[in-house]
Amino acid sequence: MRITTWNVNSIRARAHRVAEVVERDKPDVLCLQELKCQDHQFPHELFEDLGYSCETFGQKTYNGVAICSRLPMSGVSRDFPIPGDGQSRGIAAMVGGVRVVNLYVVNGKQVGHDYYDYKLRWLDALQAWVEGDATPDDDVVICGDFNIAPADGDVWDPARWEGENLCSPPERERFQRLLAWGFTDAFRVFHDEVGRYAHTWWDFRGNGFGRGRGLRIDHHLITESVKARANGCYVDRSARKGIKPSDHAPVTLVLDEPDFDPKTLRI
DNA sequence: ATGGCCATCATGGATGGA
């Protein structure tokens, strides 16, 4: 089973780019963030034609998440970890015996901003939600846009980013708290490299992608039982190239494929 | 360089992204 996470930065603006990747890679599960549309505006027909059914949790203009699957989904949850906050940032479903949780973590804007405080509260609520929803013995994958670069090796210029939003100690501590509970950062199971092939997001401004100025902020967190089935995790940098790309690249977790080469890179 | 780029919105400058 392959589970892809991708912040598409508007599904309507990105429909063709998403279809291109999906047709080529055919992931079993596709977790999307930043739909930037309401449920009725989501391109369900496009995904049906590609062989997927989609559960969406949309919102006008901002946020919005969806899980699209080639396999049957059940037990769909929406509107967590802070129900009723009007922000569509969490959706989860059972797929192939795995609890797949798709998150669009609050960006935070800037350390000290109200949005940053909300980010930390949101991450605290996420921790509580996880602890109430699952145990470390369950088969759980939490994936999505975490808006956190966990370590300096995930940042193109750690000195320039030191203490900044996406890299600040308080948010990194919250990421570590999820690991302490029982999750593993799947990408780091298979890759110890730093630099451009370990990044998932590049700023549109100043040709950040072309200059290798990226961060790794999109992740799969997996419990031990899922880790035992994991054979790889790769970033598809090719999706960041070409006409009107998202500023994020898709990241794919590979399960139950013992012949998959874990050093696979999509340049 | 207190910026740059991009998507959205009862369409044009504000908002949010990261």
Side-chain angles (χ1 to χ4, degrees):
Chain A
M1 182 158 74
R2 294 194 183 192
I3 303 174
T4 297
T5 178
W6 196 0
N7 179 323
V8 293
N9 188 358
S10 169
I11 188 61
R12 291 177 292 174
R14 220 67 59 202
H16 293 97
R17 297 300 306 258
V18 174
E20 180 181 77
V21 167
V22 167
E23 281 185 299
R24 192 198 60 215
D25 272 28
K26 300 181 172 58
D28 301 280
V29 183
L30 179 64
C31 293
L32 302 174
Q33 304 93 34
E34 273 210 275
L35 303 178
K36 292 188 172 181
C37 71
Q38 298 167 82
D39 290 333
H40 71 270
Q41 299 172 307
F42 186 88
H44 282 283
E45 318 72 33
L46 171 69
F47 284 97
E48 277 164 24
D49 292 347
L50 293 167
Y52 294 78
S53 66
C54 300
E55 296 287 348
T56 63
F57 183 40
Q59 181 184 330
K60 187 177 178 180
T61 309
Y62 301 119
N63 310 317
V65 286
I67 303 179
C68 302
S69 177
R70 303 165 66 86
L71 305 169
M73 284 186 278
S74 63
V76 179
S77 307
R78 291 174 172 81
D79 202 13
F80 60 85
I82 303 180
D85 67 348
Q87 303 214 358
S88 299
R89 296 180 176 277
I91 188 167
M94 285 298 299
V95 190
V98 176
R99 186 68 173 164
V100 177
V101 180
N102 176 23
L103 299 179
Y104 176 45
V105 175
V106 176
N107 172 283
K109 203 173 185 76
Q110 191 172 22
V111 174
H113 196 280
D114 285 350
Y115 292 0
Y116 179 81
D117 295 335
Y118 185 62
K119 180 181 197 175
L120 299 184
R121 288 207 311 280
W122 196 93
L123 289 165
D124 289 340
L126 173 65
Q127 183 74 32
W129 181 83
V130 166
E131 292 178 8
D133 190 71
T135 78
D137 293 331
D138 295 337
D139 295 342
V140 183
V141 175
I142 299 189
C143 64
D145 177 359
F146 281 71
N147 273 316
I148 300 172
D152 284 351
D154 301 312
V155 182
W156 66 275
D157 184 349
R160 182 215 173 282
W161 283 86
E162 185 177 6
E164 299 285 339
N165 186 45
L166 311 183
C167 297
S168 69
E171 53 196 301
R172 284 180 168 175
E173 282 163 19
R174 279 148 176 96
F175 190 86
Q176 291 301 318
R177 204 190 307 161
L178 287 165
L179 302 188
W181 179 83
F183 284 114
T184 298
D185 179 350
F187 184 82
R188 286 298 178 209
V189 173
F190 301 101
H191 305 276
D192 51 18
E193 64 258 43
V194 299
R196 64 182 63 208
Y197 300 124
H199 298 157
T200 67
W201 169 84
W202 298 262
D203 203 319
F204 283 127
R205 296 168 293 187
N207 188 24
F209 182 72
R211 302 167 87 154
R213 298 180 169 183
L215 305 178
R216 190 174 71 94
I217 58 177
D218 300 271
H219 311 294
H220 295 80
L221 298 187
I222 57 178
T223 52
E224 278 299 312
S225 56
V226 176
K227 184 181 172 187
R229 298 162 52 183
N231 303 112
C233 183
Y234 61 87
V235 179
D236 183 358
R237 299 181 83 254
S238 68
R240 183 63 175 77
K241 303 177 181 178
I243 308 298
K244 283 171 84 76
S246 169
D247 45 354
H248 294 250
V251 188
T252 298
L253 172 69
V254 180
L255 302 179
D256 306 325
E257 291 184 44
D259 294 334
F260 183 82
D261 178 3
K263 291 300 169 196
T264 298
L265 285 176
R266 290 290 172 77
I267 309 300

